[in-house]
Amino acid sequence: MPKGMQRLTCLRTLKEVVVSNGSNGYQAFTLADLSNLSCLRGDLKIRGLGNAADVTEARKAKLHTKKDLVGLTLNFDFSTGRMCDEDVILEALQPPCNVERLDIRCFNGPVLFPSWLNSSTLPLLKHVTIGNCRNWILLPPLGELPSLESLQIINMTKVKKVGSEFLGLAKEERQAFSPSSSSPMIAFPSLKSLRFSNMVEWKHWINYEIPSTRFAEVENVIMPRLQSLELQECHRLKALPHFLLGLTSLKELSIVRCPNLSEYCRKELPRISHIPNIRIDGVYVQRSSH
């Protein structure tokens, strides 16, 4: 990176930066160099986060103060092999509250989701991609994000099951569906597009049953606006959860190189015939004429 770039306090556009430890002989760029760039707007991609020196450096970036950023990529690739506490680095890189696009890649830290990945901190977040987080065995509670419209989960190779924790209901379900609640909680209330790719160990997508309360009759409390579902190279996944089978909003179902799931969907075709477009390995088994 150019020397002295951190002094360009009026800089508005910075598409991509690579964090370096300077071992290659080039001028090192650190997260602290983002500190005074408070006018950044649009999209910012930060790569090489595995090279961050420590959490103090990450905090100095002050990402949460850059109110004009609408897209943020946090990528832990390009690591030179030096170990860092990636969980505390990720926690310190809290996006601004009005960010709309978030991409987290190649995170190698422990199974600790950042505390800021919630509805109160990121109420306007619309598009999320999570990929290559090699040590996560569970997915974060993204279902509680109120504005989330599209979600991609890619190469999460240790995830074996997806359950209520993904919906964001696991820790709140008692309050959300208790008789004292004024309304039931809706998981993924705005989600329209959902894609899973290369989930090689994923075997179970667990059904979620609404607790037997006065809200048990409420329909579509999970992904009520979902229109497109794509599953690619999920070789061990056996079935879809019941709450997806009855979604009247679902218009597109695409299954690619998922042998068990392909067989399941062919057997269950009468139950999912309300979905206008169903494609298995590139071939439509059902296609709307409209």
Side-chain angles (χ1 to χ4, degrees), residues 70-285:
V70 294
L72 181 63
T73 295
L74 301 174
N75 198 329
F76 287 79
D77 64 351
F78 292 158
S79 174
T80 57
R82 179 187 54 76
M83 296 299 293
C84 69
D85 295 325
E86 292 191 0
D87 55 329
V88 295
I89 298 294
L90 183 59
E91 178 66 29
L93 295 174
Q94 178 179 325
C97 63
N98 54 344
V99 73
E100 296 182 4
R101 296 180 292 276
L102 177 65
D103 193 336
I104 301 175
R105 301 267 184 166
C106 301
F107 177 79
N108 294 311
V111 189
L112 293 173
F113 306 130
S115 64
W116 43 258
L117 196 57
N118 60 63
S119 57
S120 58
T121 306
L122 302 176
L124 303 181
L125 189 57
K126 294 182 179 180
H127 310 283
V128 171
T129 298
I130 297 178
N132 295 292
C133 298
R134 298 176 181 87
N135 291 323
W136 284 2
I137 60 175
L138 299 175
L139 297 180
L142 300 173
E144 66 178 77
L145 295 173
S147 302
L148 186 62
E149 295 182 3
S150 70
L151 174 60
Q152 294 190 85
I153 307 292
I154 304 169
N155 294 334
M156 302 291 282
T157 54
K158 286 192 176 181
V159 172
K160 295 183 178 180
K161 72 178 183 68
V162 173
S164 59
E165 71 287 336
F166 175 57
L167 302 176
L169 301 177
K171 61 182 178 180
E172 301 293 340
E173 59 186 2
R174 293 182 180 177
Q175 293 87 347
F177 295 105
S178 68
S180 61
S181 299
S182 58
S183 61
M185 178 179 176
I186 298 178
F188 293 102
S190 302
L191 191 66
K192 298 178 181 178
S193 175
L194 176 59
R195 177 174 179 258
F196 291 96
S197 179
N198 198 28
M199 306 282 285
V200 295
E201 293 296 325
W202 184 21
K203 190 174 182 179
H204 300 292
W205 193 343
I206 298 174
N207 288 305
Y208 182 81
E209 300 295 338
I210 301 174
S212 180
T213 70
R214 63 192 178 103
F215 293 117
E217 304 301 323
V218 177
E219 296 182 354
N220 295 340
V221 296
I222 301 174
M223 304 181 186
R225 302 180 64 187
L226 188 66
Q227 298 178 10
S228 174
L229 174 62
E230 180 180 352
L231 300 109
Q232 181 176 357
E233 296 192 45
C234 304
H235 303 291
R236 304 186 69 189
L237 185 61
K238 295 182 176 181
L240 297 176
H242 294 161
F243 64 80
L244 280 176
L245 299 181
L247 278 183
T248 57
S249 61
L250 193 58
K251 306 301 180 186
E252 300 275 349
L253 174 61
S254 177
I255 300 170
V256 180
R257 292 187 291 277
C258 307
N260 293 328
L261 191 59
S262 297
E263 182 180 357
Y264 166 83
C265 286
R266 287 190 174 95
K267 290 181 179 179
E268 295 291 338
L269 193 58
R271 293 184 63 189
I272 59 176
S273 60
H274 60 280
I275 303 174
N277 299 291
I278 302 175
R279 186 170 52 182
I280 298 178
D281 293 326
V283 178
Y284 282 96
V285 297

